Amino acid sequence: MIPSRRHSPLAGAVWMMVAGLCFAAVNSLSQYVSFTLGLASTQVAFHQYLIALICLLPWLVRHGLRQSLMTNQFRLHLLRVLLAVIGIQLWLWALAVPVPIWQGIALLMTSPLFATLGSALLLKEQVSRARILATLAGFAGAMLILAPWADDFSWASLLPVAAALFWAGYSLLVRYQAANESSHTIVVYLLIFSTPFNAMLALPEWQWPTEPQWLLLAAAGILSALAHMSIARAYSVAEASFVQPFDFAKLPMNVLAGWLVFGWAPPGRLWLGAAIIIGAITLLTHLEQRAHKPVS
């Protein structure tokens, strides 16, 4: 625990925006490598996160790697990382199909909505009527983006939703483990054990990347590491309730990246559906903070 943590909301906002920009670039790079250059999405996941882990190793060691691995919840850590890896694989599979980035990112934003349902069903938390209505409104926004009634709807459009579901399960386990584990331990297990899980999924269709693929994967891995470090930095200098809304900037950033790389222009329903989802998540966050506010 750092005794004197500098509090700087502006720096927190900037770090969160940097993370969003990095992830937007990573998504476009990953989609280009898998869809345009033909590398399997499982290979993209393995190499990208392996490179990110190598880049982050000095940071992990400096913050006490051996001490962070001390835990009494080893199986829960493995389950949590497995859920995260499945979410990653589903997301990169969606990009390889390809699902347009604008649609995928907007649907990924439904993860907190699934987490709200899971907290009620699995963690037996009290869920108010307002939280239920906000969750339903958020899913209505997702349906607007999915547009299952449209002629161009395909099953692949559901992959980001499935990824959001597994990441919601990951978030629920983080919430459960946070009572007894440090945030650094939670992050360390994710970074270290995601690599062997990704390796097992990549082995059945293993292929060595070509030189152009290697270059783009290296860039994606380095940017992934920078994004994770930026998020950690954002939460270390500002309160989570302040920096979290800046995470929504990832939507226009990814829309711009998708347009620049692939020429994908989103329809008007994206912005309406995304506005509903963002409004629902913002309301849920406010209600949760108010519910956990200490009584003076």
Side-chain angles (χ1 to χ4, degrees):
M1 183 176 180
I2 302 174
S4 57
R5 178 172 294 174
R6 182 171 63 89
H7 181 69
S8 176
L10 178 59
V14 170
W15 280 115
M16 188 61 78
M17 296 288 284
V18 169
L21 188 61
C22 289
F23 277 129
V26 168
N27 288 332
S28 289
L29 287 170
S30 300
Q31 189 157 45
Y32 190 85
V33 171
S34 58
F35 177 64
T36 305
L37 299 185
L39 187 65
S41 61
T42 53
Q43 305 293 317
V44 174
F46 169 70
H47 290 99
Q48 176 183 319
Y49 281 87
L50 175 61
I51 293 169
L53 174 61
I54 294 172
C55 294
L56 288 170
L57 270 179
W59 177 76
L60 295 176
V61 172
R62 189 179 65 180
H63 285 78
L65 178 59
R66 181 178 300 179
Q67 184 178 359
S68 296
L69 289 173
M70 300 293 292
T71 181
N72 293 322
Q73 300 181 356
F74 184 75
R75 292 182 180 179
L76 277 182
H77 282 298
L78 289 183
L79 175 60
R80 177 175 54 83
V81 174
L82 178 60
L83 291 175
V85 167
I86 293 175
I88 291 169
Q89 293 286 342
L90 288 170
W91 169 240
L92 291 176
W93 186 13
L95 293 180
V97 171
V99 172
I101 292 177
W102 61 263
Q103 186 182 60
I105 288 294
L107 293 174
L108 273 184
M109 292 165 58
T110 60
S111 183
L113 306 177
F114 284 115
T116 298
L117 291 178
S119 65
L121 297 175
L122 301 177
L123 301 184
K124 306 301 180 182
E125 294 182 0
Q126 292 291 332
V127 178
S128 65
R129 183 178 301 176
R131 289 180 69 184
I132 293 174
L133 291 176
T135 303
L136 292 176
F139 282 124
M143 289 297 292
L144 187 61
I145 295 171
L146 267 175
W149 54 82
D151 293 335
D152 58 349
F153 174 78
S154 68
W155 65 269
S157 301
L158 297 174
L159 288 173
V161 180
L165 176 61
F166 278 95
W167 277 334
Y170 166 82
S171 298
L172 288 174
L173 280 178
V174 169
R175 184 184 304 179
Y176 177 79
Q177 291 187 279
N180 300 302
E181 298 279 24
S182 70
S183 59
H184 195 258
T185 294
I186 290 174
V187 171
V188 164
Y189 271 94
L190 173 64
L191 292 175
I192 291 180
F193 284 95
S194 60
T195 297
F197 277 132
N198 281 325
M200 287 188 291
L201 294 171
L203 281 176
E205 46 184 346
W206 180 263
Q207 62 183 106
W208 286 105
T210 62
E211 184 175 341
Q213 291 170 344
W214 267 123
L215 291 174
L216 295 180
L217 287 171
I222 293 170
L223 288 172
S224 294
L226 178 58
H228 284 291
M229 292 184 66
S230 298
I231 291 176
R233 186 61 178 163
Y235 285 118
S236 71
V237 299
E239 294 182 358
S241 59
F242 176 79
V243 299
Q244 185 60 40
F246 291 94
D247 185 50
F248 295 138
K250 66 187 178 186
L251 179 60
M253 290 178 181
N254 278 273
V255 168
L256 177 60
W259 179 72
L260 291 174
V261 177
F262 298 99
W264 286 329
R269 74 174 189 271
L270 163 73
W271 303 111
L272 177 57
I276 295 173
I277 294 173
I278 290 173
I281 295 173
T282 303
L283 177 57
L284 287 171
T285 303
H286 172 72
L287 292 172
E288 184 167 343
Q289 289 173 349
R290 190 173 67 178
H292 290 84
K293 186 176 181 180
V295 179
S296 56

